[in-house]
């Protein structure tokens, strides 16, 4: 690990592990699956989306998305609806249960982050957030798949 990029790769790997494993629900088995959390977040930001739109947004093949959305349908997190714009493809819309689970998962994640950073100055937290946003935006620009932001 003689280069800063090697350290960034290693720390990013650990960050993903820590964020996913250290919520209270993760330890009890009540968490959202990682793929559901990400898909629900995107559907919330953009509104109902078809498999094709999800494929374009994530760069995933339809079979992967069919498996992931089927699990979300079984869990009552999304429902299939006719295209509100009159298109042929049916779309996935987040359900009230999906909204509730997403809100709960996000609140627990934020609570965990606030606990970890409780000794940080507010400026340090803001600077870290700005660097993460820049890092993610640069990845999205290279991949040509921007993520909608509030």
């Amino acid at each position: 690990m003689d280069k800063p990029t090697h350290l960034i790769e290693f720390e990013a790997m650990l960050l993903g592990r820590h964020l996913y494993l250290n919520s209270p629900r993760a330890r009890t088995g009540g968490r959202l699956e990682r793929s559901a959390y990400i898909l629900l977040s995107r559907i919330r930001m953009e509104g109902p989306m078809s498999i094709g739109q999800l494929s374009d947004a994530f760069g995933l093949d339809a079979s992967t998305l069919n498996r992931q959305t089927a699990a979300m349908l079984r869990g009552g997190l999304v429902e299939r609806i006719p295209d509100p714009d009159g298109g042929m493809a049916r779309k996935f819309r987040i359900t009230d249960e999906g909204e509730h689970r997403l809100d709960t998962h996000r609140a627990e994640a934020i609570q965990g982050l606030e606990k970890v950073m409780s000794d940080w100055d507010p400026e340090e937290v803001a600077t870290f957030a700005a660097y993460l946003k820049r890092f993610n935006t640069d990845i999205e620009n290279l991949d040509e798949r921007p993520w909608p932001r509030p």
Side-chain angles (χ1 to χ4, degrees), residues 70-79 94-99 101:
M72 290 171 33
L73 281 165
R74 284 190 305 275
L77 304 175
V78 294
E79 61 188 349
I94 192 169
T95 62
D96 290 342
E97 176 65 15
E99 292 275 358
R101 298 271 309 275

Side-chain angles (χ1 to χ4, degrees), residues 74-136:
R74 284 190 305 275
L77 304 175
V78 294
E79 61 188 349
R80 292 192 82 154
I81 62 168
D83 184 348
D85 300 321
M88 294 294 292
R90 295 179 52 87
K91 294 192 173 189
F92 294 94
R93 175 174 60 196
I94 192 169
T95 62
D96 290 342
E97 176 65 15
E99 292 275 358
H100 172 73
R101 298 271 309 275
L102 180 59
D103 289 341
T104 300
H105 187 98
R106 180 163 284 138
E108 289 173 353
I110 290 168
Q111 182 181 24
L113 289 169
E114 288 172 346
K115 185 177 178 181
V116 168
M117 296 184 287
S118 64
D119 292 337
W120 292 30
D121 292 329
E123 299 82 26
E124 290 175 310
V125 176
T127 299
F128 186 59
Y131 278 126
L132 282 174
K133 180 180 179 183
R134 178 179 176 188
F135 185 73
N136 282 326

Side-chain angles (χ1 to χ4, degrees), residues 35-70 72-73 78-80 89-94 143 145-148:
S35 62
Y37 181 60
I38 295 168
L39 286 167
L40 289 172
S41 294
R42 186 66 180 248
I43 292 169
R44 176 184 274 172
M45 295 291 297
E46 293 205 25
M49 297 178 76
S50 68
I51 288 289
Q53 289 170 315
L54 290 169
S55 179
D56 290 343
F58 289 97
L60 297 172
D61 61 80
S63 65
T64 298
L65 288 162
N66 278 317
R67 282 191 306 277
Q68 292 173 346
T69 54
M72 290 171 33
L73 281 165
V78 294
E79 61 188 349
R80 292 192 82 154
R90 295 179 52 87
K91 294 192 173 189
F92 294 94
R93 175 174 60 196
I94 192 169
D143 197 36
R145 285 190 175 88
W147 190 273

